[in-house]
Amino acid sequence: MISRFNNYNLTHHNTFGLPASCDFFVEYDSVPDFQAFLRENPDFAQTPHFHIGGGSNLVFTDHYRGTILHSAIKGKEVNESADDVLIKVGAGEDWDGFVEWCVEHGYYGLENLSFIPGEVGASAVQNIGAYGVEAGDFIVEVEAVCLSTGELQTFDVQACKYAYRHSVFKAELSGKYAVTHVVFRLSKVFKPNYTYGALQATMVAKGIDAPTAQQLRAAVIEIRNAKLPHPSVLGSAGSFFMNPVVDEAMFLDIQKAYPQIPHYAAPQGVKISAGWLIEQCGWKGKRVGNVGVYDKQALVLVNYGGASGKDVKDLSLRIVADVKEKFGIELRPEANFI
Ligand code: EPU
């Protein structure tokens, strides 16, 4: 089925709760229906369009003059073998509902990605990550429809080019494909991964030394609840900026002045905590009109109610400028401005 709306309100399609609308909103719940829509609209790929998921990484700055696409493709197809399982999931499934279902069914690997807002399709575009795990670590292939030809194509994990919060669908193929299904390989044998500082500390505090998958999921949910605002309570897009990666020489320079700077090894240098950089600039917990920097995690910008996308953008630019001036590092948003 295809649902089409004109002049559509997007306020409930972004977790920031920003007021926005679009000329056209098109939602589809199967691949053949979406292909039929593209056949009826052969120039669609040449017209302004943007594909959303759960809207948990979006900042709408204006009315969108074009079509917003949304997948409502649901369903899970399970293919079990002795030790592992392949699960093909519809792009429109709720991400955390999927993770919860996996834990309940004894399919392991995604526990650390519990409670992340958003949908399965976006997880494969954004390569969502938390507590030492990224979605791309478990993705086998991604099925996507080409918006110009209507052809359904399969991308194996190499073709997806996963890196930190990055994939081919965000880069060279941006705006060209609609992800319809994602295939994950999960294990039937549980191997807990709780080396990430905050997760390990929670396990120690609870006196748990061999957590079950349910306990690991519960700990992740507890940490996220303590550090990140829930979209139903306070609008936000989770981490607003990515953690910057700088070269070794630059890192050592900054570390000389700030020996306590939190950092991690990264493929192209040293990853620095953006939340810490923002906190050092005095922004943590600050409010500017209807927007502000969350008091429990400086990487999160929040909407106290009534904010516009421009308010969020202006605040983010002030933060970027201050971090640049103090540390010489240019923060890049993880959130997408539309
Ligand atoms: N820190 C501060 N001040 C702050 C926030 C963080 O000093 O206000 C320092 C602390 O030293 C802390 C360290 O930064 O120990 C790391 O903080 P945290 O564990 O909260 O993680 P993060 O690097 O700020 C990233 C992801 C989150 C993910 C967590 C856990 C990005 C952009 N963000 O945040 O992802 O949940 O790690 O793995 O990589 C998201 O992408 O929306 C998101 C929430």
Side-chain angles (χ1 to χ4, degrees), residues 25 119-120 232 241 244 265 267 287:
F25 184 81
E119 294 171 2
V120 167
S232 64
F241 300 100
R287 181 172 175 163

Side-chain angles (χ1 to χ4, degrees), residues 33-52:
D33 285 335
F34 186 50
Q35 288 172 318
F37 167 81
L38 292 174
R39 274 196 303 276
E40 283 162 26
N41 298 275
D43 299 330
F44 181 78
Q46 279 76 55
T47 64
H49 60 270
F50 188 81
H51 205 300
I52 62 168

Side-chain angles (χ1 to χ4, degrees), residues 129-131 164-165 196 224 227-228 237-239 241-243 262 264 273 275-276 279 284 297-299 334:
Y131 311 107
Y164 171 57
R165 298 295 193 278
Y196 191 91
R224 292 190 75 91
K227 282 200 174 179
L228 301 163
S239 295
F241 300 100
M242 292 199 267
N243 286 326
Y264 316 87
S273 156
W276 183 87
E279 186 174 347
K284 193 169 184 171
Q297 164 51 291
L299 199 45
E334 179 184 330

Side-chain angles (χ1 to χ4, degrees), residues 52-297:
I52 62 168
S56 52
N57 245 315
L58 301 181
V59 181
F60 289 112
T61 50
D62 206 346
H63 172 83
Y64 186 72
R65 301 210 172 284
T67 304
I68 296 289
L69 288 171
H70 182 245
S71 165
I73 298 179
K74 307 277 192 214
K76 304 174 200 83
E77 257 175 56
V78 177
N79 215 321
E80 283 199 33
S81 55
D83 293 335
D84 57 19
V85 59
L86 290 175
I87 313 173
K88 177 172 162 176
V89 196
E93 288 279 356
D94 173 64
W95 172 261
D96 190 51
F98 170 55
V99 175
E100 185 182 27
W101 178 91
C102 290
V103 171
E104 275 169 10
H105 285 76
Y107 303 144
Y108 304 119
L110 302 178
E111 310 72 41
N112 294 28
L113 302 179
S114 289
F115 220 49
I116 296 182
E119 294 171 2
V120 167
S123 76
V125 174
Q126 187 70 5
N127 190 18
I128 57 173
Y131 311 107
V133 172
E134 288 183 345
D137 302 339
F138 293 91
I139 290 174
V140 178
E141 55 191 36
V142 173
E143 292 184 3
V145 169
C146 173
L147 300 183
S148 322
T149 64
E151 194 192 336
L152 180 66
Q153 283 173 237
T154 300
F155 295 81
D156 65 22
V157 68
Q158 280 77 28
C160 295
K161 299 190 185 168
Y162 285 124
Y164 171 57
R165 298 295 193 278
H166 181 87
S167 77
V168 74
F169 306 108
K170 280 183 80 174
E172 53 265 45
L173 299 186
S174 167
K176 297 191 163 73
Y177 284 83
V179 171
T180 56
H181 290 91
V182 186
V183 181
F184 295 87
R185 175 178 281 118
L186 301 183
S187 176
K188 287 162 71 176
V189 183
F190 178 57
K191 291 184 216 86
N193 170 355
Y194 55 106
T195 50
Y196 191 91
L199 202 47
Q200 196 161 33
T202 305
M203 290 306 169
V204 170
K206 287 181 182 300
I208 298 173
D209 53 22
T212 63
Q214 281 78 5
Q215 285 172 324
L216 198 51
R217 173 170 160 81
V220 169
I221 293 175
E222 190 179 311
I223 297 169
R224 292 190 75 91
N225 269 328
K227 282 200 174 179
L228 301 163
H230 196 274
S232 64
V233 179
L234 197 58
S236 88
S239 295
F240 193 87
F241 300 100
M242 292 199 267
N243 286 326
V245 175
V246 300
D247 65 37
E248 183 88 19
M250 183 174 194
F251 169 70
L252 291 173
D253 245 18
I254 301 175
Q255 198 188 31
K256 238 184 255 159
Y258 302 90
Q260 76 287 21
I261 183 169
H263 61 282
Y264 316 87
Q268 278 101 23
V270 182
K271 194 188 268 187
I272 297 179
S273 156
W276 183 87
L277 294 171
I278 295 167
E279 186 174 347
Q280 296 305 306
C281 293
W283 275 107
K284 193 169 184 171
K286 260 202 190 165
R287 181 172 175 163
V288 182
N290 293 330
V291 288
V293 178
Y294 196 47
D295 57 355
K296 299 186 187 80
Q297 164 51 291

